[in-house]
Amino acid sequence: MEDPIRRPGPGEPSLFLRVLDGEVAAKPPVWLMRQAGRYLPEYREIRATAPTFLDLCYDPKRAAEVTLQPIRRFGFDAAILFSDILVVPDALGLPTAFESGHGPKLKPVTTAEGFAELHGEVDMGRLSPVLETVERVRGALGPETALIGFCGAPFTVASYMVAGSGTPDQGPARDLAYRNPELFGRIIDRVTEASITYLSAQLDAGADAVMIFDSWAGVLPRLEYERWSQGPIERIVAGVRKRRPGARIVGFPRVSGGQLLRAAESGVTALGLDIFVDPHWADSVLPRALPVQGNLDPKALIAGGRALDEAVDDIRGAFGRRPHVFNLGHGITPDTPIPHVERLVARLRA
């Protein structure tokens, strides 16, 4: 039977990269955040063979296989490195683990004494398996499929470092930022410098672009956003470009309104939009030449059918005149039906 999903032909230039470089594509490239994950049975099989989640992240052979699985199944225009944003604090010497059913657990950094226990620089030896994964994946992909590396933004990473786990409103990090901005600033600076080194190394290892995830920037009021999110991201973009001129960097701050407009000024190549951003408003206020990425609601993907088709068409209608990478406005969830993902890709390429 003929494959209903039209995949890019072998050897074709990457449409994802062309759009990041400013091309307006009649049919946008597509990939999905968290596309390598628990909604795929082949991922669950491999995950069951790894003692812990971090063991899987630090196993180049298995991590590369997991990264490639959604490309084989769906023919996405880009693969994203299978890893986690918390490998950076782990490589800074902060004890980090993932407990089944409870998420990440770190030793909280809330005092000057706790901060002094961190490495002065990121341990790239600890991260060498991740870079090997990048090399393996890039070697397995054709030029038609881009490879995306990533890190967490300093505020988001620091919020886990301070709290020792995920929290509903990042309250511990916000409290520390107000009570002891000098200490919180030192944590942010350490993560910022580590991120510059880490992203640059991913690009050197074969990543075609990198992405900065600021999942919790939206909890910050304006002044705190400028200080703890916007400023550090601008430093990362400038620092990576100093080492790798022309590096393609996608920003994904989960913010809206005026903060989204500021995020567009951070120097990123493209801006990822979350589900709460009205695509028509975003298209009207963001610079026309700025590529955008997003922003389908993962719930629409779960629903499928007419709801999915209407949501897809609305986003395409909003961004049809600008460079646009189709994606979700948040990560894909484990309960997503595989046929719905197939329907999404087929509709985008029809």
Side-chain angles (χ1 to χ4, degrees):
M1 180 181 296
E2 183 178 354
D3 190 337
I5 298 177
R6 194 276 179 187
R7 290 172 169 81
E12 291 183 15
S14 166
L15 180 60
F16 172 79
L17 297 180
R18 284 164 24 213
V19 167
L20 290 193
D21 291 340
E23 179 176 324
V24 179
K27 299 175 182 179
V30 56
W31 70 277
L32 303 179
M33 289 187 287
R34 294 183 187 163
Q35 65 189 20
R38 291 176 291 167
Y39 73 110
L40 294 177
E42 55 266 43
Y43 168 82
R44 294 194 296 270
E45 290 179 7
I46 289 185
R47 175 65 186 88
T49 68
T52 70
F53 177 75
L54 271 184
D55 286 324
L56 181 56
C57 291
Y58 288 138
D59 183 327
K61 183 177 180 180
R62 285 187 284 194
E65 171 61 22
V66 167
T67 302
L68 292 166
Q69 286 173 346
I71 306 304
R72 296 195 194 103
R73 185 183 277 271
F74 303 113
F76 291 130
D77 294 283
I80 186 164
L81 169 69
F82 179 80
S83 186
D84 193 85
I85 64 171
L86 297 183
V87 297
V88 166
D90 186 57
L92 285 171
L94 187 66
T96 302
F98 285 78
E99 298 180 2
S100 179
H102 298 283
K105 295 294 182 182
L106 303 84
K107 182 179 180 181
V109 180
T110 58
T111 64
E113 292 75 17
F115 178 79
E117 295 178 4
L118 299 178
H119 300 326
E121 296 181 351
V122 64
D123 179 0
M124 292 307 296
R126 178 64 170 159
L127 295 175
S128 61
V130 180
L131 302 180
E132 182 181 337
T133 300
V134 173
E135 294 172 351
R136 283 174 175 261
V137 174
R138 184 62 270 172
L141 294 173
E144 68 278 2
T145 308
L147 174 58
I148 306 168
F150 71 92
C151 73
F155 175 73
T156 288
V157 174
S159 72
Y160 287 96
M161 295 173 67
V162 171
S165 64
T167 56
D169 62 353
Q170 314 318 303
R174 294 164 62 197
D175 289 343
L176 184 63
Y178 281 120
R179 289 187 290 101
N180 193 340
E182 191 275 335
L183 175 58
F184 193 68
R186 292 171 70 191
I187 298 171
I188 290 286
D189 289 346
R190 188 66 52 85
V191 175
T192 299
E193 292 304 316
S195 300
I196 293 170
T197 299
Y198 181 41
L199 291 183
S200 300
Q202 291 181 53
L203 291 164
D204 290 339
D208 299 294
V210 291
M211 193 161 170
I212 304 171
F213 289 92
D214 207 354
S215 303
W216 298 114
V219 304
L220 296 172
R222 183 181 65 83
L223 292 180
E224 298 299 289
Y225 170 79
E226 291 283 343
R227 184 173 189 179
W228 305 125
S229 177
Q230 180 78 7
I233 289 175
E234 290 177 354
R235 287 168 52 196
I236 291 175
V237 172
V240 171
R241 294 245 174 84
K242 184 176 181 179
R243 301 185 185 195
R244 286 292 303 266
R248 300 178 180 95
I249 304 172
V250 181
F252 182 68
R254 290 182 62 195
V255 294
S256 59
Q259 292 181 353
L260 183 69
L261 300 183
R262 282 290 290 121
E265 300 171 352
S266 63
V268 294
T269 308
L271 191 64
L273 309 177
D274 67 40
I275 62 172
F276 300 109
V277 175
D278 176 358
H280 298 272
W281 172 82
D283 182 65
S284 71
V285 299
L286 293 174
R288 175 63 57 194
L290 178 69
V292 296
Q293 179 175 279
N295 64 331
L296 180 69
D297 186 348
K299 291 294 186 182
L301 187 57
I302 293 172
R306 181 177 178 181
L308 172 61
D309 294 345
E310 290 179 348
V312 169
D313 293 346
D314 182 58
I315 293 169
R316 290 189 67 182
F319 296 135
R321 298 176 299 163
R322 70 161 61 240
H324 174 223
V325 175
F326 200 96
N327 207 311
L328 301 176
H330 200 282
I332 193 169
T333 57
D335 53 343
T336 302
I338 288 174
H340 295 185
V341 181
E342 294 171 340
R343 180 180 183 127
L344 166 65
V345 178
R347 189 168 188 86
L348 290 171
R349 292 184 176 155

